[in-house]
Amino acid sequence: MARSEEPRAWTVGEPGPLTSGPLSLRARPRPSPGADELLVRVLVSGVCRTDLHIVEGDLPVRKAGVVPGHEVIGEVVGKGPDASGFEEGDRVGIAWLRSTCGSCPYCRSGRENLCPTSRYTGWDADGGYAEWTTVPSEYAYHLPTGYSDEELAPLLCAGLIGYRAWKRARVPQGGRLGIYGFGASAHLTAQVALAHGATVHVLTRSEAARALALDLGAASAGGAADSPPEPLDSAVLFAPVGDLVPVALEALDRGGTLAIAGIHLSDVPVLDYQRHLFFERTLCSVTANTRLDGQDFFRFAASNRIRVTTTPYRFEEADRALSDLEADRVRGAAVLRVDSRTAS
């Protein structure tokens, strides 16, 4: 299909259930890059569960009519006078973290993901469900070679947040990791853990996801509320289901850590101190990632070939992609082919 003469973008009108039609495809002028920004022609945009939370209103509105999408692969076609590090024609990655203040205690201590004034692509500023977008050059990523655009897109959030969740879960060398939920992020995180010598047990409701987990090298794959075949040193909860928090905590061995990877989680039931937290079990959350996390992860991806499973959709099918994601009909990661030339 030929590219439309008038640029288009998917925008969020009144957030609500997908059945109410909160997302609409509209003509939008091509954006102009700010002084420190790159102008990017979007090639592929990943579809993330966070996009679903923004569209359906689980996360508060931060920009009216925002264009979702924060797993963006594109080509630099212009830049502002203060933008650096990229030239026209470069392939570029755009992720969730869009800007931080650089001067608060969190930024100064290497924890910029906790910056109180941090801003995010596809929430505070327009993202990748569009034919054109912009990004501050200091928050854009150079990407590893050897991957297609479709394979790279999920790495920019699913990969990055999974990598940080893996770090936060403090998986010991040769340790036993439980992964709850097995979608876009989890199937990448499992490969990071396996490459570092961990034994991985997957707990998820989807039979197709369980099959994928075993194919990727997981030692076991059971139902979401099942007990793993052995006590866990660490666990990561990717499913946005608070009911699974006590399940995962109870599966931990003494001194184990559970990291909750999502930006949104349904209510957590009352925890029993003896069953769920005693023996120095640790419960922690994951809040975005730092740029250093991203650089480390892409170095890992450059030296360790990650198998990225994707389900592609045409640009015009963004609402269907989100619907399939919500219903667990997506195998691996959903991606929008924004530029028709990326289709195989």
Side-chain angles (χ1 to χ4, degrees):
M1 189 184 75
R3 174 180 285 272
S4 169
E5 291 185 3
E6 192 166 22
R8 299 168 300 164
W10 286 93
T11 64
V12 181
E14 183 67 29
L18 289 177
T19 53
S20 69
L23 199 62
S24 58
L25 183 58
R26 300 178 181 275
R28 274 205 165 187
R30 190 173 79 173
S32 298
D36 64 342
E37 292 182 339
L38 308 172
L39 175 63
V40 175
R41 179 171 64 85
V42 179
L43 304 174
V44 173
S45 184
V47 179
C48 177
R49 192 165 291 274
T50 299
D51 302 336
L52 184 62
H53 294 318
I54 290 169
V55 170
E56 293 202 311
D58 297 322
L59 296 177
V61 174
R62 301 264 282 250
K63 180 182 187 294
V66 72
V67 176
H70 55 274
E71 299 176 324
V72 186
I73 304 298
E75 178 187 353
V76 177
V77 294
K79 59 182 183 176
D82 299 331
S84 61
F86 293 85
E87 300 299 330
E88 291 189 17
D90 285 351
R91 184 163 68 165
V92 64
I94 304 174
W96 176 239
L97 185 66
R98 185 178 181 88
S99 68
T100 59
C101 72
S103 59
C104 70
Y106 305 103
C107 288
R108 293 199 308 270
S109 61
R111 298 176 294 163
E112 65 180 3
N113 59 314
L114 302 180
C115 175
T117 58
S118 55
R119 300 178 72 247
Y120 299 96
T121 308
W123 193 19
D124 295 293
D126 291 336
Y129 288 23
E131 294 179 311
W132 300 87
T133 193
T134 62
V135 61
S137 61
E138 290 188 357
Y139 291 82
Y141 288 97
H142 290 282
L143 300 166
T145 59
Y147 293 86
S148 68
D149 295 335
E150 284 185 18
E151 291 173 318
L152 283 169
L155 300 187
L156 284 154
C157 181
L160 292 184
I161 204 65
Y163 183 76
R164 184 162 183 89
W166 169 75
K167 289 172 59 178
R168 293 278 287 161
R170 302 188 301 184
V171 186
Q173 183 65 35
R176 302 156 296 177
L177 172 67
I179 294 179
Y180 289 80
F182 203 73
S185 192
H187 94 282
L188 302 174
T189 306
Q191 295 177 68
V192 173
L194 289 165
H196 286 84
T199 298
V200 174
H201 299 288
V202 170
L203 297 308
T204 183
R205 67 183 182 180
S206 166
E207 290 186 12
R210 292 198 291 268
L212 176 59
L214 294 173
D215 188 39
L216 290 172
S220 73
D226 290 349
S227 296
E230 60 181 336
L232 305 173
D233 297 301
S234 306
V236 179
L237 174 61
F238 288 103
V241 182
D243 285 344
L244 291 177
V245 171
V247 173
L249 284 170
E250 195 165 359
L252 292 176
D253 204 348
R254 299 180 181 214
T257 299
L258 169 62
I260 300 175
I263 192 173
H264 173 78
L265 186 72
S266 61
D267 289 344
V268 178
V270 174
L271 299 178
D272 180 282
Y273 180 68
Q274 296 294 331
R275 288 174 56 195
H276 302 131
L277 293 171
F278 197 55
F279 294 121
E280 299 192 352
R281 296 183 182 99
T282 299
L283 173 63
C284 67
S285 64
V286 180
T287 302
N289 61 273
T290 67
R291 283 172 287 175
L292 181 59
D293 289 331
Q295 293 157 11
D296 288 346
F297 175 66
F298 285 124
R299 277 193 292 269
F300 173 85
S303 57
N304 296 267
R305 186 60 167 83
I306 298 174
R307 178 176 158 189
V308 187
T309 301
T310 62
T311 300
Y313 294 81
R314 293 184 298 111
F315 178 53
E316 294 80 8
E317 298 178 310
D319 47 359
R320 184 168 76 86
L322 285 171
S323 179
D324 287 350
L325 180 65
E326 185 174 46
D328 282 339
R329 292 189 292 264
V330 175
R331 189 170 187 266
V335 294
L336 299 180
R337 290 168 167 167
V338 178
D339 189 306
S340 62
R341 287 171 288 183
T342 65
S344 56

